[in-house]
């Protein structure tokens, strides 16, 4: 789910729920190593792109329109952590009090959404975050711009990021309408196979003893993986999805009584991204099978009498429709 969102950020982010200590946060933080460096305007607080018009702040656009030279620097894709106690001002940005007092000017102090532009915004324990803050994050992620109205200042800046949330369902659920706004939903269970558990414990110990040596061991694999993601992003626009497959996806959503059309749209996008990652240009039934549960499991209506897992229910409907 994380890789597909990197290939096509329009999928709309990932919500990862699961048991305590299953490596959710570790996996998400490791994603940054797989991402290529990006070109940014060096003196711009919003990581603006020097060439892509949609990823420029208004200031950079004006400078380019006036034929000014903009200094370019390569940066790692930003990964911003949103702490649970963050206020709306810290997230969206606020008035720069220092400038107001020293120079008597109204100036804007960018927030976490500005830092996360063109990168990843990670919220640990998203189910414990204030609902209005989750609303702000989802609105910015969907629209790609953050507008701040403060003390007579109106400022907007690009805020295109992949929103990733994680949490433990035992500590509380997200409201269904907020859950629906996340493109994909992964459920992580504790590993029961003793051999795999031993392998994980050994890896943790190796990393603790020699972090640099451990990373070096996997450097080549990571580079290969990163190249595969870069190629998939470049080829995404060439991927076609047959009319019949799109229709079957809609039949699945309709059979499961999924509200709205987000389920259909996200499943189509995720299937295309998976196909591009696999190095092909036409989506097959198997691509849909790989992603359909991740895209739809959190969109089903809750039935307290139902003992069947939502993911299993989605897969059962897939088997019926695609047979």
């Amino acid at each position: 789910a994380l890789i597909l969102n990197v290939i096509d950020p329009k999928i709309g982010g990932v919500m990862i729920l699961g048991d305590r200590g299953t490596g959710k946060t570790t996996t998400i933080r490791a994603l940054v190593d797989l991402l290529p460096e990006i070109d940014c305007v060096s003196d711009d607080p919003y990581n603006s792109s020097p060439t892509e018009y949609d990823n420029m702040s208004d200031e950079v656009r004006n400078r380019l329109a006036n034929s000014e030279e903009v200094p370019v620097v390569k940066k790692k894709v930003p990964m911003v952590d949103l702490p649970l106690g963050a206020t709306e001002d810290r997230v969206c940005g606020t008035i720069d009090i220092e400038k107001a007092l020293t120079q008597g000017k109204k100036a804007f102090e960018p927030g976490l959404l500005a830092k996360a532009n063109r990168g990843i915004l990670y919220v640990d324990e998203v189910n414990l975050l204030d609902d209005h803050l989750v609303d702000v994050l989802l609105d910015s992620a969907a629209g790609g711009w953050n507008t701040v109205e403060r003390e007579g200042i109106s400022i907007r800046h690009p805020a295109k990021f992949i929103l990733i949330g994680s949490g433990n369902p035992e500590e509380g659920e997200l409201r269904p309408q907020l859950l629906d706004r996340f493109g994909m939903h992964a459920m992580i269970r504790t590993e029961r196979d003793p051999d795999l558990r031993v392998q994980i414990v050994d890896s943790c110990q190796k990393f603790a003893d020699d972090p640099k040596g451990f990373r070096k061991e996997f450097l080549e694999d990571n580079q290969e993986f990163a190249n595969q993601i870069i190629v998939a992003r470049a080829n995404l626009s060439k991927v076609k999805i047959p009319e019949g497959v799109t229709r079957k996806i809609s039949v699945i959503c309709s059979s499961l009584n999924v509200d709205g059309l987000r389920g259909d749209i996200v499943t189509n996008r995720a299937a295309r991204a998976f196909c591009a990652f696999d190095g092909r240009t036409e989506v097959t039934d198997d691509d849909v099978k790989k992603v359909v549960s991740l895209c739809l499991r959190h969109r089903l209506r809750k039935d307290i009498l139902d003992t069947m897992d939502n993911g299993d229910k989605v897969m059962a409907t897939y088997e019926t429709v695609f047979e």
Side-chain angles (χ1 to χ4, degrees):
L2 292 169
I3 288 166
L4 298 184
N5 268 274
V6 170
I7 293 169
D8 184 3
K10 287 194 176 79
I11 287 172
V14 192
M15 175 69 180
I16 300 174
L17 289 179
D19 304 333
R20 297 179 293 273
T22 44
K24 300 185 292 291
T25 305
T26 309
T27 309
I28 292 161
R29 291 193 197 288
L31 185 67
V32 177
D33 286 343
L34 298 177
L35 303 180
E37 290 190 326
I38 52 174
D39 287 329
C40 298
V41 176
S42 64
D43 53 354
D44 184 78
Y46 313 115
N47 304 318
S48 289
S49 164
T51 51
E52 297 163 23
Y53 191 75
D54 286 349
N55 290 325
M56 288 179 195
S57 64
D58 290 339
E59 293 94 322
V60 173
R61 288 179 183 182
N62 291 338
R63 284 165 68 183
L64 288 174
N66 296 332
S67 305
E68 283 183 41
E69 193 72 35
V70 289
V72 178
V73 66
K74 274 204 178 300
K75 284 187 188 174
K76 272 189 86 67
V77 169
M79 170 120 180
V80 177
D81 276 320
L82 183 79
L84 271 183
T87 60
E88 191 173 338
D89 279 359
R90 182 73 194 98
V91 174
C92 297
T94 185
I95 300 302
D96 188 336
I97 298 296
E98 192 181 340
K99 262 194 185 164
L101 293 174
T102 56
Q103 301 172 20
K105 288 180 182 172
K106 289 179 179 176
F108 179 63
E109 177 75 38
L112 294 175
L113 292 182
K115 277 188 187 169
N117 185 38
R118 300 180 71 207
I120 294 166
L121 185 67
Y122 173 46
V123 191
D124 200 2
E125 309 296 352
V126 67
N127 44 343
L128 303 181
L129 197 65
D130 283 348
D131 280 348
H132 79 280
L133 268 186
V134 181
D135 267 334
V136 167
L137 296 180
L138 290 164
D139 281 341
S140 292
W145 286 84
N146 173 41
T147 306
V148 182
E149 306 280 352
R150 294 270 191 284
E151 322 295 331
I153 286 183
S154 178
I155 280 189
R156 67 172 211 143
H157 65 78
K160 291 184 178 173
F161 51 84
I162 300 164
L163 182 63
I164 300 175
S166 70
N168 183 349
E170 290 172 7
E171 293 167 353
E173 292 282 344
L174 260 183
R175 295 206 320 260
Q177 61 269 44
L178 292 181
L179 204 50
D180 181 63
R181 298 279 292 276
F182 280 93
M184 299 175 93
H185 180 286
M187 196 75 189
I188 312 297
R189 309 255 183 247
T190 303
E191 184 53 60
R192 300 292 175 210
D193 179 356
D195 292 341
L196 264 175
R197 290 174 80 120
V198 168
Q199 200 179 320
I200 293 166
V201 171
D202 287 347
S203 294
C204 283
Q205 194 53 55
K206 266 190 199 171
F207 182 75
D209 294 342
D210 180 14
K212 280 187 179 170
F214 186 81
R215 286 171 72 97
K216 200 178 274 185
E217 206 178 307
F218 295 97
L219 204 59
E220 211 170 289
D221 289 349
N222 273 4
Q223 194 52 54
E224 198 177 307
F225 215 34
N227 291 340
Q228 199 177 344
I229 290 172
I230 293 166
V231 171
R233 287 174 83 162
N235 292 338
L236 183 65
S237 57
K238 298 174 193 163
V239 176
K240 299 283 179 281
I241 184 159
E243 191 70 34
V245 174
T246 305
R247 185 174 175 76
K248 283 177 180 175
I249 290 170
S250 293
V251 171
I252 292 174
C253 294
S254 179
S255 307
L256 290 167
N257 288 325
V258 172
D259 289 336
L261 290 167
R262 280 201 188 108
D264 306 51
I265 293 165
V266 169
T267 310
N268 277 283
R269 281 185 178 152
R272 286 182 70 222
F274 186 85
C275 179
F277 185 61
D278 208 31
R280 291 175 286 106
T281 55
E282 181 155 328
V283 175
T284 63
D285 294 1
D286 208 40
D287 296 330
V288 178
K289 186 177 186 176
K290 288 277 196 301
V291 302
V292 69
S293 174
L294 291 166
C295 297
L296 299 180
R297 64 181 305 147
H298 57 302
R299 303 178 196 277
L300 307 193
R301 291 180 184 174
K302 278 202 167 33
D303 182 352
I304 51 172
L305 300 174
D306 203 350
T307 53
M308 194 177 187
D309 176 72
N310 276 359
D312 295 340
K313 202 185 283 185
V314 171
M315 289 316 295
T317 309
Y318 167 87
E319 299 294 349
T320 311
V321 172
F322 273 81
E323 262 179 8

